[in-house]
C-alpha cells in the first residue's frame, strides 16, 4: 500500500537575480566580470541561483560555452528568460534549462533591488564581523560576541540568532533575532525575507504577533528609536 501525505505541493514565489548578457562575443570577459563583481561584494552572491536574460543573443552565439563560463563563477543558473530566437530556445532547453517568462520574473525585481541595497550595506561593514554561509536549523543558537553577524542563508523557526552588533540575514528569517544584545541601542537588523518569531534590539522586543503583517515576507530594516522598535521597508 502506498502511504498518503508523503509530500505537499505548493506554489511559491522565488526571488531570483537576473544577469543580462549585453554582448557574448567574449565568454572569458563575461566570466571575469562576474567574478570581479562577486569579489567586490565579498563573495556575497556565491552559489546564488540566477536567471540569464538572453534577449541580445541568437542561436549563432555559443550558448554551451557561455553557460559553462557562467557556471565557472560559482553561480547556479536555474533558467533563461527573454529568448527571442526559437532556435536558441531549443538549444537552451536541450541544455537542461527552462525558459522563464517575464511575468514570472517581474514580481522579483523589487526584492532584487532590496538585495542590492543590502549588499552595499554589508560592503560598508568593518572586518569585525562573523559570517555564516550555512542554514541555521531549528534548535540552533548563534551568538556573535562583540561584533556584527551576517548570515547568507535561511534561518529556521525555533532557531535563535544573537549578536552584540548588527545582524544581517540574506535569506528567509523564521526564528528569533536579537541584535544589540550587550546594550548597544544603535544596532540594527536587516532581513531580505522577514518571518520572525521574535525580534529584539537592546532588550526591546516584539513577538511575531506584534509585528505589522504588511512587513511579513518583505525586505526590512529594524532599528530602535526612543526605546521603540521601528521597521523600515528596504
Amino acid at each position: 500500500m502506498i502511504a498518503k501525505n508523503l509530500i505537499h505541493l505548493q506554489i511559491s514565489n522565488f526571488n531570483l537575480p537576473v544577469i543580462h548578457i549585453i554582448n557574448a562575443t567574449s565568454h572569458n570577459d563575461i566570466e571575469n566580470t562576474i567574478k570581479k563583481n562577486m569579489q567586490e561584494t565579498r563573495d556575497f552572491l556565491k552559489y546564488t541561483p540566477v536567471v540569464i536574460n538572453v534577449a541580445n543573443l541568437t542561436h549563432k552565439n555559443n550558448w554551451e560555452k557561455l553557460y559553462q563560463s557562467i557556471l565557472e563563477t560559482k553561480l547556479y543558473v536555474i533558467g533563461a528568460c527573454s529568448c527571442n530566437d526559437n532556435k536558441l530556445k531549443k538549444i537552451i532547453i536541450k541544455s537542461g534549462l527552462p525558459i522563464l517568462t517575464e511575468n514570472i520574473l517581474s514580481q522579483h525585481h523589487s526584492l532584487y533591488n532590496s538585495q542590492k541595497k543590502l549588499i552595499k550595506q554589508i560592503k560598508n561593514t568593518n572586518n569585525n564581523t562573523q559570517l555564516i554561509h550555512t542554514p541555521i536549523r531549528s534548535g540552533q543558537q548563534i551568538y556573535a560576541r562583540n561584533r556584527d553577524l551576517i548570515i547568507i542563508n535561511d534561518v529556521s523557526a525555533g532557531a535563535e540568532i544573537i549578536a552584540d552588533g548588527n545582524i544581517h540575514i540574506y535569506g528567509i528569517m523564521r526564528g528569533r533575532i536579537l541584535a544589540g544584545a550587550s546594550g548597544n541601542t544603535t544596532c540594527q537588523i536587516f532581513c531580505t525575507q522577514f518571518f520572525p518569531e521574535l525580534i529584539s534590539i537592546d532588550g526591546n522586543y516584539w513577538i511575531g504577533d506584534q509585528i505589522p503583517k504588511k512587513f511579513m515576507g518583505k525586505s526590512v530594516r529594524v532599528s530602535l528609536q526612543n526605546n521603540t522598535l521601528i521597521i523600515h521597508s528596504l
Side-chain angles (χ1 to χ4, degrees):
M1 180 181 294
I2 299 176
K4 295 182 179 180
N5 300 324
L6 291 181
I7 67 169
H8 173 63
L9 181 63
Q10 181 177 1
I11 303 299
S12 181
N13 293 331
F14 293 93
N15 307 297
L16 305 171
V18 178
I19 296 178
H20 294 256
I21 303 299
I22 307 302
N23 189 328
T25 55
S26 174
H27 303 100
N28 288 335
D29 285 348
I30 291 174
E31 179 180 340
N32 291 333
T33 299
I34 294 174
K35 287 181 176 179
K36 181 180 179 181
N37 281 306
M38 292 175 70
Q39 289 172 356
E40 289 176 351
T41 59
R42 300 181 184 177
D43 288 336
F44 189 67
L45 293 176
K46 185 178 286 187
Y47 306 120
T48 297
V50 299
V51 175
I52 307 302
N53 184 304
V54 296
N56 296 315
L57 305 185
T58 71
H59 66 279
K60 295 180 181 180
N61 295 107
N62 190 332
W63 167 255
E64 291 293 344
K65 190 170 182 179
L66 173 63
Y67 181 28
Q68 189 58 42
S69 295
I70 296 175
L71 292 180
E72 291 294 329
T73 68
K74 306 302 182 184
L75 292 175
Y76 287 142
V77 181
I78 57 90
C81 69
S82 303
C83 187
N84 302 315
D85 186 310
N86 288 331
K87 290 184 179 180
L88 176 60
K89 185 179 296 185
K90 292 179 181 179
I91 293 171
I92 293 173
I93 293 173
K94 189 176 180 179
S95 71
L97 292 177
I99 302 294
L100 305 178
T101 58
E102 286 297 330
N103 62 330
I104 292 176
L105 293 171
S106 61
Q107 58 189 300
H108 308 307
H109 289 172
S110 60
L111 181 60
Y112 182 45
N113 288 333
S114 297
Q115 291 171 346
K116 290 195 292 184
K117 291 180 182 178
L118 183 55
I119 290 171
K120 183 177 180 180
Q121 173 69 30
I122 290 176
K123 287 172 66 178
N124 291 330
T125 61
N126 58 35
N127 292 326
N128 189 24
T129 300
Q130 181 175 347
L131 179 63
I132 297 176
H133 290 274
T134 56
I136 309 302
R137 306 301 184 189
S138 179
Q140 283 187 272
Q141 184 188 76
I142 304 296
Y143 176 36
R145 184 184 299 274
N146 298 324
R147 53 183 161 176
D148 293 348
L149 175 62
I150 299 172
I151 299 176
I152 308 177
N153 217 308
D154 297 338
V155 177
S156 298
E160 189 169 66
I161 308 302
I162 307 170
D164 289 337
N166 302 294
I167 297 177
H168 305 256
I169 298 179
Y170 184 86
I172 301 173
M173 173 62 207
R174 297 189 184 277
R176 298 181 295 276
I177 179 169
L178 300 88
S182 61
N184 189 340
T185 60
T186 65
C187 290
Q188 299 185 61
I189 296 169
F190 301 82
C191 289
T192 55
Q193 296 183 65
F194 191 62
F195 298 98
E197 297 172 320
L198 177 145
I199 57 173
S200 172
I201 298 177
D202 184 34
N204 298 274
Y205 71 91
W206 284 345
I207 61 174
D209 290 342
Q210 294 176 285
I211 298 171
K213 294 186 183 299
K214 67 179 182 178
F215 293 112
M216 287 297 184
K218 307 297 184 181
S219 294
V220 304
R221 174 173 64 90
V222 185
S223 63
L224 188 65
Q225 297 179 14
N226 299 322
N227 293 322
T228 300
L229 293 173
I230 306 294
I231 302 179
H232 317 259
S233 295
L234 283 176

